[in-house]
Amino acid sequence: MILSFSSSSSSSSSSSSSSSSSSSINATKRTRDILREENYNPGMMTGSGAVLATLLFACLLIVQRVDSQCSGSALTLQASTTPQKFSSPGYPIAYNNDLSCTWLLDSGVDGQRILLYSDAYSIHCPSDSVDIYDGNSTSSPGLQAGLCGSSKTGEFVTRDRHALVTFRTDASLTERGFEFIYLSAADTSGTGCNSEYTLTASEQAQFLTSQNFPAFYSSNSLCRWEIVPSSAQSAVSVQVTFADIEADDTCRYDKMEIYDGSYICENKLVSTYCPFRTGTDFSPSTYTSAEAITVILRSDNSFERHGFILKYWETTVTTTTTVATTVTTTVTSSTALQTTAAAPTTAALTTQASPVTSEVPSISIKEQNTDASTNIVMMVVSGLSGAGGVLALLAVWRTFRYIKGRKRPKKGLIHVQGATSLTSISISSSSDSGSLQSRQGPPPSILAFV
């Protein structure tokens, strides 16, 4: 059935574009009839029947898609500063025979030119081809005639807001087709390549381009743009949406640089670009600064490219006030140090240590406040304890002085007055014998050593 479908399309190869469109419509109807005959329901069919029905349904979708731009009227596409793409019917699967398709690209603004290119195409030569016109009709000047083969294209730049692309195939062999990328932007470089050019951002997104965009920038250029917010309460953001600069791994030749701030120095550099024409798969980065963003484009004396498109805008900065909080930690040291005095009499001397207060950075340490009544009791006890200690010291001192100052009798003779009658006892000794004599007399005095 697929071969029959292709054959049906081939039978109209010699007809005009209108008959080609009618053939596509008839093929669509025939495919629908086949699906009705097969009672197409993927959930109810198995094996080769399900595969066949699925392929037929895919063919129906392809034909319907072809009809949208290959039915004799152009499909209009709106170009913008963001790269977009369109492709031949069924790409990257082989396109159909006997097609006549037209796309009209429009920038939407008179004088705003369009950049168009293809990173991959494969078109059977010479019977199938693509034509590109610098305008909105086939009578406009041509930018490219009879494009076919397999390669990448160069870039096509219009002189005004429109570009027209046509694609025609015959009844013979087909290839994978093509995919084109397109975008549009006006030259907003201002005087940035002659002197520093200052741009003021707003909440509405604006665009900065390289000189001559979308045509090539100049050789030996040193361009500088400074983008600033409108007020001190705002920050400026930028985003590169497209870049096409002489490619090099280290950006030795041409390059685009983005700096954070108004000054150009190494520690302010946030990004360097030197890619070969970015496409729809390019993921742009966003850079934001509260001060300013400076953009530099440098080029040498050869191999210029199309440059860049940079989007910029501002956002209001929300100011958050942070109140510093002081953390206070209370540490109380009230350790009683007791010392026992060594004295003739035992007396306890008690010394009360004062609260210890220490300070460390960022932490305040102070005495702990206690209940007033507790403070009074502690003061009374401390006072009594101190008074008792003083009295004890005085008592020890007085006792020591008393003992030291007490008078003792001198050693020597003691005179004892005897009684009225005393027997005198005389003890004498001789070498031969001893004798004991006694006598009575008046009471003598007795002298003795003590």
Side-chain angles (χ1 to χ4, degrees), residues 289-355:
S289 174
E291 179 188 351
I293 289 181
T294 300
V295 180
I296 302 293
L297 177 63
R298 307 175 191 269
S299 67
D300 61 8
N301 58 1
S302 61
F303 298 107
E304 294 77 26
R305 299 296 299 165
H306 294 278
F308 65 85
I309 301 175
L310 181 140
K311 179 169 69 173
Y312 64 95
W313 67 96
E314 73 172 1
T315 54
T316 302
V317 178
T318 302
T319 303
T320 302
T321 303
T322 304
V323 179
T325 303
T326 303
V327 180
T328 303
T329 303
T330 304
V331 178
T332 302
S333 177
S334 181
T335 305
L337 304 177
Q338 294 184 346
T339 304
T340 303
T345 60
T346 302
L349 304 181
T350 303
T351 304
Q352 180 70 31
S354 300

Side-chain angles (χ1 to χ4, degrees), residues 356-426:
V356 178
T357 302
S358 59
E359 295 183 358
V360 296
S362 302
I363 299 179
S364 174
I365 301 178
K366 62 183 181 181
E367 294 186 28
Q368 183 177 6
N369 294 328
T370 59
D371 185 76
S373 60
T374 303
N375 286 339
I376 294 174
V377 172
M378 293 297 294
M379 291 172 62
V380 171
V381 172
S382 178
L384 292 176
S385 177
V390 173
L391 291 176
L393 287 173
L394 289 175
V396 171
W397 181 74
R398 292 295 300 271
T399 301
F400 179 74
R401 290 291 303 273
Y402 172 75
I403 294 174
K404 185 177 180 181
R406 182 181 177 185
K407 294 182 178 180
R408 299 179 63 184
K410 297 181 179 179
K411 293 182 179 181
L413 294 174
I414 299 175
H415 182 270
V416 180
Q417 184 66 38
T420 57
S421 177
L422 181 62
T423 299
S424 175
I425 299 175
S426 174

Side-chain angles (χ1 to χ4, degrees), residues 7-314:
S7 175
S8 174
S9 298
S10 299
S11 63
S12 59
S13 59
S14 59
S15 60
S16 63
S17 61
S18 60
S19 63
S20 176
S21 175
S22 299
S23 176
S24 299
I25 296 172
N26 291 334
T28 303
K29 292 179 180 179
R30 184 173 180 181
T31 306
R32 289 172 180 168
D33 292 340
I34 293 172
L35 293 177
R36 290 193 188 99
E37 291 173 3
E38 295 287 344
N39 293 320
Y40 174 63
N41 187 339
M44 299 295 293
M45 301 178 65
T46 58
S48 60
V51 174
L52 181 60
T54 302
L55 291 175
L56 287 173
F57 185 69
C59 290
L60 172 62
L61 294 179
I62 292 173
V63 171
Q64 287 178 332
R65 185 178 178 186
V66 169
D67 287 344
S68 63
Q69 63 263 355
C70 304
S71 60
S73 60
L75 175 66
T76 301
L77 302 174
Q78 187 69 48
S80 68
T81 54
T82 301
Q84 303 174 73
K85 62 184 178 181
F86 68 93
S87 61
S88 57
Y91 182 86
I93 301 174
Y95 50 80
N96 292 330
N97 299 111
D98 302 313
L99 294 178
S100 179
C101 310
T102 306
W103 295 265
L104 177 63
L105 310 182
D106 186 1
S107 70
V109 179
D110 289 338
Q112 184 168 310
R113 299 182 291 175
I114 295 174
L115 174 63
L116 175 69
Y117 60 91
S118 176
D119 284 335
Y121 69 89
S122 178
I123 303 171
H124 182 251
C125 277
S127 55
D128 305 336
S129 64
V130 171
D131 296 319
I132 304 174
Y133 299 90
D134 188 7
N136 58 2
S137 71
T138 56
S139 60
S140 302
L143 292 173
Q144 176 68 53
L147 178 66
C148 63
S150 299
S151 184
K152 294 182 178 181
T153 69
E155 299 83 22
F156 306 105
V157 179
T158 64
R159 293 179 298 176
D160 210 331
R161 61 182 287 179
H162 292 111
L164 189 70
V165 180
T166 64
F167 177 48
R168 289 181 173 83
T169 67
D170 66 1
S172 62
L173 298 177
T174 62
E175 299 288 346
R176 296 174 64 240
F178 62 85
E179 182 178 77
F180 273 98
I181 297 173
Y182 63 100
L183 65 150
S184 176
D187 178 2
T188 57
S189 61
T191 60
C193 294
N194 299 322
S195 60
E196 181 177 308
Y197 187 49
T198 302
L199 302 167
T200 302
S202 65
E203 293 183 357
Q204 182 69 33
Q206 302 176 73
F207 293 90
L208 169 67
T209 68
S210 52
Q211 186 184 32
N212 304 322
F213 193 87
F216 290 165
Y217 52 76
S218 301
S219 60
N220 297 316
S221 295
L222 177 57
C223 308
R224 176 170 176 165
W225 300 269
E226 182 180 343
I227 306 173
V228 298
S230 62
S231 67
Q233 290 74 38
S234 299
V236 61
S237 299
V238 301
Q239 186 181 84
V240 178
T241 62
F242 172 80
D244 178 32
I245 298 170
E246 183 181 359
D248 179 68
D249 292 339
T250 59
C251 300
R252 291 172 295 174
Y253 309 118
D254 300 352
K255 58 185 174 181
M256 172 189 181
E257 299 170 323
I258 298 177
Y259 292 86
D260 178 10
S262 301
Y263 299 99
I264 300 176
C265 54
E266 185 176 354
N267 62 343
K268 292 290 187 177
L269 179 64
V270 296
S271 186
T272 301
Y273 287 87
C274 59
F276 174 75
R277 70 188 190 195
T278 58
T280 56
D281 57 347
F282 175 64
S283 298
S285 299
T286 300
Y287 307 99
T288 301
S289 174
E291 179 188 351
I293 289 181
T294 300
V295 180
I296 302 293
L297 177 63
R298 307 175 191 269
S299 67
D300 61 8
N301 58 1
S302 61
F303 298 107
E304 294 77 26
R305 299 296 299 165
H306 294 278
F308 65 85
I309 301 175
L310 181 140
K311 179 169 69 173
Y312 64 95
W313 67 96
E314 73 172 1

Side-chain angles (χ1 to χ4, degrees), residues 430-441:
S430 64
S431 60
D432 298 330
S433 62
S435 62
L436 178 63
Q437 298 179 354
S438 63
R439 65 178 182 177
Q440 292 181 341

